[in-house]
C-alpha cells in the first residue's frame, strides 16, 4: 500500500476547493486593482501559449508523471475486466456525455443568463475536461476507498497511454460539432508540450533514480520532495488565471455557479456508470471503486493547459476548466463516501491477494 503518509488525503488536497476559492479572490483582486501585473505577464507568449503559465503547468504535471509505473502495464492480464470498464467509460462515454450535458444546460436551461457565443466557449472548456480523465488524484481517491494499489497503477499507466492517441481526435471532433474552430497543429502542440514532454521526462527520471537509488528511496524520499512544488505551481497558476479572468468574473459572478452545475452532474453520472458496470461484471470493490473514480475526476491540469493554449488565459473556455478544479474535491469526497458505504454490493476478494 505504500507508507503511512499515503494512506489518506493530504491537508492540501482535502481543502483544495478552499485554496482555489482563495486564489480566485486573490487573482480577481489583482486583475481589478493591479492590472499591470497580468498585462505584463501576458506579453510573454510563444505560438499564443503563455510562457509563465506553461512553466507553472510543467511544475505541476512533471512530478505526477514520475509516479506512473509503465512496467505495470504488463499486469493487464491479471484482471482485464476492470480495465475494460475504465476504458469504455473514459473514452467512449465520458467525453460525449459531457458534451451533451453541458450543451443542454448552457444552451437551454441557462440560455437567459448567457449569450450563445459565450455558451459555446464555456462548452469548449467543458469538452476539454470531459476528454481528460484523471491521472494524478486517482491515487488519492483509490487510497480513500481502499482500492487495489496494483490495479490503480495499471489503470493510470494505460490511461496516460490512451490520452496520447485519443485526446486530440476526440477534442477536435467535439469542438467541431460545437462550431468551435481550433487549429489542429495548436491542439497537437498542446498535447506534446503538456503530456508528451513531461511524461517522457517523468519516465526518464523514474527509471534513472530507481536504477541509482532503488524503488524504496524513490517512493519514500525522492517523490515527496516535489509535493510542495506541485502545490505552489497549481496555486500560482490559479491566481494568474483568475487575474486574467477578473473582468469576466466581475461582470458575471453567477457564471461560476452556472458552469459548476453541469460539471457536477457529469461527475456523478460517470461515476455511477463505471461503478455499476463494475458491479454488473462482479468485480471486487477494490477494483470497482477506482474504476468509478478515474472517470469521474478530471485531469484538470491538462484541460486548463490546453484551454489556455487554444483560447488564451482570458478566455471563457479557460475559466470553465478552472471551475472544474473548484468543484472537483468536494464532489469526489462525496463519491468516496458513497463508494465506502456501498462496499457490501461487491465481492471482497482482491487481485492483490491472488
Amino acid at each position: 500500500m505504500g507508507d503511512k503518509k499515503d494512506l489518506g488525503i493530504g491537508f492540501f488536497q482535502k481543502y483544495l476547493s478552499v485554496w482555489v476559492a482563495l486564489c480566485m479572490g486573490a487573482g480577481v483582486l489583482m486583475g481589478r486593482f493591479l492590472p499591470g501585473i497580468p498585462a505584463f505577464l501576458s506579453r510573454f507568449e510563444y505560438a499564443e501559449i503563455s510562457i509563465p503559465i506553461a512553466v507553472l503547468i510543467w511544475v505541476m504535471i512533471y512530478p505526477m508523471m514520475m509516479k506512473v509505473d509503465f512496467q505495470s502495464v504488463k499486469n493487464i492480464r491479471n484482471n482485464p475486466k476492470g480495465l475494460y470498464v475504465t476504458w469504455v467509460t473514459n473514452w467512449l462515454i465520458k467525453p460525449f456525455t459531457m458534451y451533451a450535458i453541458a450543451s443542454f444546460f448552457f444552451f437551454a436551461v441557462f440560455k437567459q443568463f448567457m449569450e450563445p457565443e459565450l455558451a459555446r466557449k464555456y462548452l469548449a472548456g467543458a469538452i476539454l475536461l470531459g476528454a481528460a480523465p484523471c491521472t494524478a488524484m486517482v491515487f488519492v481517491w483509490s487510497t480513500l476507498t481502499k482500492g487495489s494499489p496494483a490495479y490503480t497503477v495499471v489503470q493510470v499507466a494505460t490511461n496516460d497511454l490512451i490520452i496520447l492517441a485519443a485526446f486530440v481526435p476526440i477534442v477536435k471532433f467535439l469542438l467541431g460539432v460545437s462550431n468551435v474552430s481550433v487549429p489542429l497543429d495548436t491542439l497537437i502542440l498542446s498535447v506534446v508540450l503538456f503530456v508528451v514532454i513531461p511524461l517522457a521526462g517523468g519516465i526518464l527520471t523514474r527509471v534513472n533514480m530507481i536504477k541509482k537509488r532503488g524503488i524504496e528511496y524513490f517512493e519514500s524520499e525522492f517523490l515527496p520532495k516535489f509535493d510542495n512544488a506541485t502545490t505552489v505551481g497549481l496555486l500560482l497558476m490559479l491566481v494568474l488565471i483568475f487575474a486574467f479572468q477578473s473582468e469576466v468574473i466581475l461582470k458575471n459572478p453567477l457564471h461560476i455557479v452556472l458552469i459548476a452545475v453541469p460539471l457536477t452532474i457529469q461527475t456523478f453520472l460517470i461515476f455511477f456508470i463505471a461503478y455499476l458496470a463494475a458491479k454488473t461484471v462482479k468485480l471486487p470493490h477494490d477494483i470497482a471503486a477506482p474504476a468509478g473514480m478515474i472517470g469521474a475526476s478530471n485531469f484538470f491540469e491538462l484541460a486548463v493547459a490546453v484551454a489556455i493554449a487554444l483560447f488564451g488565459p482570458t478566455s471563457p473556455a479557460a475559466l470553465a476548466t478552472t471551475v472544474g478544479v473548484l468543484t472537483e474535491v468536494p464532489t469526489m469526497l462525496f463519491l468516496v463516501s458513497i463508494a465506502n458505504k456501498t462496499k457490501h454490493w461487491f465481492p471482497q476478494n482482491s487481485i492483490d491477494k491472488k
Side-chain angles (χ1 to χ4, degrees), residues 85-95 130-131 133 159 270 291 294-296:
V85 168
T86 297
W87 297 340
V88 170
T89 304
N90 287 355
W91 299 105
L92 298 182
I93 299 175
K94 180 179 180 178
N159 204 55
I270 291 301
I294 193 170

Side-chain angles (χ1 to χ4, degrees), residues 3-83:
D3 61 33
K4 290 182 180 179
K5 289 184 295 183
D6 295 326
L7 295 180
I9 189 168
F11 179 77
F12 170 73
Q13 289 92 346
K14 185 174 182 180
Y15 296 102
L16 179 59
S17 291
V18 175
W19 313 138
V20 174
L22 291 174
C23 288
M24 180 190 298
V28 169
L29 290 173
M30 179 190 294
R32 176 68 178 84
F33 297 106
L34 299 170
I37 295 177
F40 173 75
L41 292 174
S42 66
R43 292 161 50 188
F44 297 93
E45 288 187 353
Y46 180 77
E48 299 184 4
I49 293 175
S50 168
I51 294 174
I53 290 180
V55 170
L56 292 174
I57 289 171
W58 280 327
V59 169
M60 283 190 305
I61 294 179
Y62 177 71
M64 298 173 189
M65 295 305 188
M66 288 193 293
K67 296 179 180 180
V68 181
D69 179 11
F70 285 94
Q71 293 183 4
S72 65
V73 173
K74 63 188 178 187
N75 296 324
I76 287 176
R77 63 183 181 275
N78 287 0
N79 197 321
K81 286 194 295 184
L83 290 165

Side-chain angles (χ1 to χ4, degrees), residues 145 180 205 213 217 236 255 281 292:
T145 57
V180 177
T205 303
R213 303 293 297 271
Y217 169 82
L236 288 177
H255 285 202
V281 298

Side-chain angles (χ1 to χ4, degrees), residues 282-314:
K282 296 181 171 54
L283 290 173
H285 184 265
D286 61 355
I287 294 178
M293 297 296 169
I294 193 170
S297 54
N298 300 305
F299 189 178
F300 56 75
E301 297 86 354
L302 174 62
V304 170
V306 176
I308 291 169
L310 290 176
F311 306 107
T314 62

Side-chain angles (χ1 to χ4, degrees), residues 12 60 84-85 91 188 190 219 231 250 330:
F12 170 73
M60 283 190 305
Y84 297 155
V85 168
W91 299 105
I188 293 172
S190 301
E219 292 186 345
T231 301
L250 290 171

Side-chain angles (χ1 to χ4, degrees), residues 167-303:
F167 182 80
V168 169
I170 288 174
V171 168
K172 180 66 175 175
F173 171 74
L174 289 176
L175 289 178
V177 171
S178 308
N179 295 317
V180 177
S181 177
V182 293
L184 183 60
D185 55 349
T186 304
L187 187 55
I188 293 172
L189 175 62
S190 301
V191 174
V192 170
L193 285 176
F194 302 121
V195 180
V196 177
I197 291 176
L199 185 60
I203 292 171
L204 289 174
T205 303
R206 181 184 180 91
V207 170
N208 288 332
M209 286 305 302
I210 291 175
K211 188 176 181 180
K212 289 179 181 177
R213 303 293 297 271
I215 186 70
E216 181 68 26
Y217 169 82
F218 178 77
E219 292 186 345
S220 62
E221 296 186 43
F222 185 76
L223 281 179
K225 293 178 181 179
F226 294 87
D227 289 347
N228 289 335
T230 300
T231 301
V232 171
L234 175 61
L235 296 183
L236 288 177
M237 185 197 69
L238 292 174
V239 171
L240 283 183
I241 290 175
F242 285 119
F244 289 133
Q245 294 279 351
S246 61
E247 187 176 347
V248 176
I249 293 171
L250 290 171
K251 286 182 178 178
N252 304 293
L254 177 64
H255 285 202
I256 300 294
V257 177
L258 300 184
I259 295 168
V261 171
L263 298 187
T264 302
I265 292 172
Q266 160 79 357
T267 300
F268 277 89
L269 174 66
I270 291 301
F271 171 78
F272 280 108
I273 287 174
Y275 195 57
L276 296 177
K279 181 179 185 297
T280 301
V281 298
K282 296 181 171 54
L283 290 173
H285 184 265
D286 61 355
I287 294 178
M293 297 296 169
I294 193 170
S297 54
N298 300 305
F299 189 178
F300 56 75
E301 297 86 354
L302 174 62

